[in-house]
Amino acid sequence: MAGETLVSLRTEISKRVRDPLNTAHDSDTVDALLSYCQQLTNAATSAARAALFTGSGTPTLPFISLASLGIRVSEVRIGHDNPSSLAALPLRRIDWRVLAAEDPLWLGREAAWPTCWDLMGQDLLLLWPRWRVPFTIYMTRLNDQPLTTTTFLPAEHVPMLLAMTESVLLLRQRLFASMPASAKREQQIRQGLAFP
Amino acid sequence: MSVTKTIITDLVSTLCYGNLMGSYDAAEVSRLYDEVILALAQDPRRWFTTAAITDTGVVDGGATPLDYTNREYYQLPATLNLAKVVALFFQGRQLSRENEQTLRQQNLDWESDIGTPLAFVTDQRSDRFVRFYPKNDKATQADDDTAVVVVYTRSLMTTGIPDMLALPIALLVLAREFERESPHRDKDFAEACRALGTNYLSYIA
């Protein structure tokens, strides 16, 4: 289902909720909900990967805020030249509490490039030590384009997107009796995917 | 990449259908949105984490020289919209989080100890009020604008909400709106919204 068009996704989802003529849920609503569910699916499955951030100079603090970027990180690699270079090195994930236990002054430590990463809470990426040389890091990111003519999801993630959107539309229509079946399907698809 | 409070409250309206459409209270939804954001910021998963370097805000006076020796609780700036402290650094050193009871068990006279701060405690009511232990032995920090670095979760977020959170937040707002006492109360709908919203949050946490 790679390259699935928005129209075909909408048609499929409308059939599933027994609303083929889009009378209960107009096309714009279905499209919007598909788009929101796509963001969730991408985040939950690490569906899209891309170079995201280029470090430059020495930052005051070794943090990158993820909130406004709308991303979820499961892996960080570091490279210096070609964004698609396979030579980019994976950084080790080390719990920041371990750094703190080893060295209370860890926050201010510096090196040429960071050697490890962690998340502080959900939205603050720590790259440690604080770096002195510009670099590029690669990590999972959400598709930053709205769902339009083609999906950006790998084919195996499309069923998840459809199942989630179906659940939301059933909720919207107050068809609570049908929701457990759709939730179960969602759960089964989720278990079959590489969800963290 | 990110959405605003307005977009999420519009989504709340979109998710209402049939006899629910137009029945919700927009002003109440705005208030409940703030409640949900605060609840997420206080959640152990620590949504909306950020960091700030702060110094002038540590004193509640502002214009007077910073006095770190005589104060009890310091007030972190209200402009941070701080919900929970994740980590606190004083002059580059990470302070461990303690509670008053533990410190008192270790040393009955802990409040009088003076030296380089190694730990902090927060006021029971709010993490905005912090107390260093031991009390700093230097009277002023006026020439050091990096005295305090705080990593914390934010409340009152109206912009910069990650796209992926829009749907779960809207569902949790709906759950609160339709479970509260009102003419349009709908427990079944509220329950379903809460279940779906909580489930979707767990996918990405």
Side-chain angles (χ1 to χ4, degrees), chain A residues 8 20 69-70 73 83-84 106 119 129 146 165:
Chain A
S8 64
L69 300 173
V73 177
S84 60
W106 66 276
L119 288 174
T165 313

Side-chain angles (χ1 to χ4, degrees), chain B residues 42 54 57-60 72-85 88 97 120-132 148 150 152-153 155-156:
Chain B
Q42 291 177 330
T54 179
V58 174
V59 291
D60 38 19
E72 297 298 319
Y73 280 93
Y74 298 99
Q75 187 176 347
L76 293 166
T79 49
L80 296 181
N81 294 328
L82 183 148
K84 290 297 269 186
V85 171
L88 191 71
R97 187 180 194 132
F120 73 100
V121 293
T122 59
D123 183 86
Q124 285 181 345
R125 287 165 300 171
S126 166
D127 270 13
R128 272 191 61 210
F129 300 92
V130 297
R131 184 173 191 167
F132 299 122
V148 173
V150 59
Y152 64 101
T153 59
S155 61
L156 290 173

Side-chain angles (χ1 to χ4, degrees), chain B residues 91-123:
Chain B
Q91 292 184 305
R93 174 183 293 274
Q94 184 170 354
L95 307 184
S96 64
R97 187 180 194 132
E98 304 289 350
N99 62 56
E100 289 191 13
Q101 199 179 356
T102 311
L103 291 175
R104 193 169 294 115
Q105 281 169 355
Q106 290 169 355
N107 177 5
L108 277 175
D109 203 22
W110 72 277
E111 287 166 292
S112 318
D113 281 2
I114 290 177
T116 302
L118 298 172
F120 73 100
V121 293
T122 59
D123 183 86

Side-chain angles (χ1 to χ4, degrees), chain B:
Chain B
M1 305 287 265
S2 64
V3 292
T4 61
K5 178 175 181 176
T6 308
I7 290 174
I8 293 177
T9 49
D10 284 350
L11 179 58
V12 166
S13 162
T14 300
L15 289 170
C16 290
Y17 170 80
N19 60 350
L20 298 177
M21 199 184 290
S23 64
Y24 71 94
D25 181 334
E28 195 62 18
V29 161
S30 173
R31 188 187 67 74
L32 292 172
Y33 165 90
D34 292 339
E35 263 188 34
V36 169
I37 295 292
L38 179 63
L40 291 176
Q42 291 177 330
D43 185 284
R45 288 172 288 190
R46 303 286 181 251
W47 298 96
F48 314 126
T49 333
T50 190
I53 299 170
T54 179
D55 190 5
T56 52
V58 174
V59 291
D60 38 19
T64 53
L66 309 185
D67 179 351
Y68 283 78
T69 54
N70 297 320
R71 292 183 183 273
E72 297 298 319
Y73 280 93
Y74 298 99
Q75 187 176 347
L76 293 166
T79 49
L80 296 181
N81 294 328
L82 183 148
K84 290 297 269 186
V85 171
V86 176
L88 191 71
F89 302 83
F90 186 84
Q91 292 184 305
R93 174 183 293 274
Q94 184 170 354
L95 307 184
S96 64
R97 187 180 194 132
E98 304 289 350
N99 62 56
E100 289 191 13
Q101 199 179 356
T102 311
L103 291 175
R104 193 169 294 115
Q105 281 169 355
Q106 290 169 355
N107 177 5
L108 277 175
D109 203 22
W110 72 277
E111 287 166 292
S112 318
D113 281 2
I114 290 177
T116 302
L118 298 172
F120 73 100
V121 293
T122 59
D123 183 86
Q124 285 181 345
R125 287 165 300 171
S126 166
D127 270 13
R128 272 191 61 210
F129 300 92
V130 297
R131 184 173 191 167
F132 299 122
Y133 173 77
K135 277 189 203 174
N136 190 28
D137 53 6
K138 293 174 189 161
T140 64
Q141 300 291 333
D143 57 343
D144 183 358
D145 63 0
T146 60
V148 173
V149 173
V150 59
V151 178
Y152 64 101
T153 59
R154 285 179 65 192
S155 61
L156 290 173
M157 299 263 296
T158 53
T159 58
I161 309 284
D163 283 1
M164 59 187 164
L165 287 179
L167 186 57
I169 291 174
L171 289 167
L172 294 175
V173 170
L174 277 169
R176 287 173 186 241
E177 168 62 2
F178 284 95
E179 76 193 356
R180 73 184 173 87
E181 197 62 64
S182 75
H184 54 266
R185 190 177 198 183
D186 185 337
K187 279 186 169 178
D188 291 340
F189 185 69
E191 200 177 301
C193 285
R194 183 173 298 284
L196 214 53
T198 307
N199 200 23
Y200 289 169
L201 265 187
S202 75
Y203 286 5
I204 52 176

Side-chain angles (χ1 to χ4, degrees), chain A residues 96-107:
Chain A
W96 63 272
R97 295 168 199 85
V98 173
L99 297 175
E102 296 275 325
D103 174 12
L105 297 170
W106 66 276
L107 188 70

Side-chain angles (χ1 to χ4, degrees), chain A residues 40-178:
Chain A
L40 266 170
T41 309
N42 277 353
T45 56
S46 306
R49 285 167 193 273
L52 185 84
F53 170 81
T54 301
S56 58
T58 305
T60 312
L61 295 172
F63 301 129
I64 298 168
S65 173
L66 303 178
S68 59
L69 300 173
I71 64 167
R72 183 167 185 274
V73 177
S74 55
E75 180 191 20
V76 177
R77 291 184 298 134
I78 181 168
H80 310 296
D81 298 310
N82 182 357
S84 60
S85 168
L86 293 175
L89 295 170
L91 296 187
R92 266 196 315 158
R93 183 169 188 173
I94 297 181
D95 192 319
W96 63 272
R97 295 168 199 85
V98 173
L99 297 175
E102 296 275 325
D103 174 12
L105 297 170
W106 66 276
L107 188 70
R109 302 296 181 206
E110 279 185 27
W113 295 292
T115 56
C116 65
W117 70 279
D118 196 21
L119 288 174
M120 296 184 82
Q122 298 287 330
D123 305 305
L124 202 61
L125 175 68
L126 165 71
L127 293 171
W128 186 86
R130 203 159 58 129
W131 56 91
R132 289 194 295 263
V133 178
F135 64 92
T136 303
I137 61 169
Y138 309 92
M139 48 197 180
T140 306
R141 73 166 186 181
L142 290 180
N143 165 36
D144 53 6
Q145 300 297 317
L147 194 60
T148 52
T149 50
T150 57
T151 75
F152 290 80
L153 286 172
E156 66 270 28
H157 293 150
V158 172
M160 186 67 194
L161 168 65
L162 290 172
M164 289 172 84
T165 313
E166 181 186 346
S167 295
V168 177
L169 289 176
L170 289 173
L171 168 83
R172 185 170 184 263
Q173 223 170 332
R174 298 185 91 260
L175 294 173
F176 304 132
S178 304

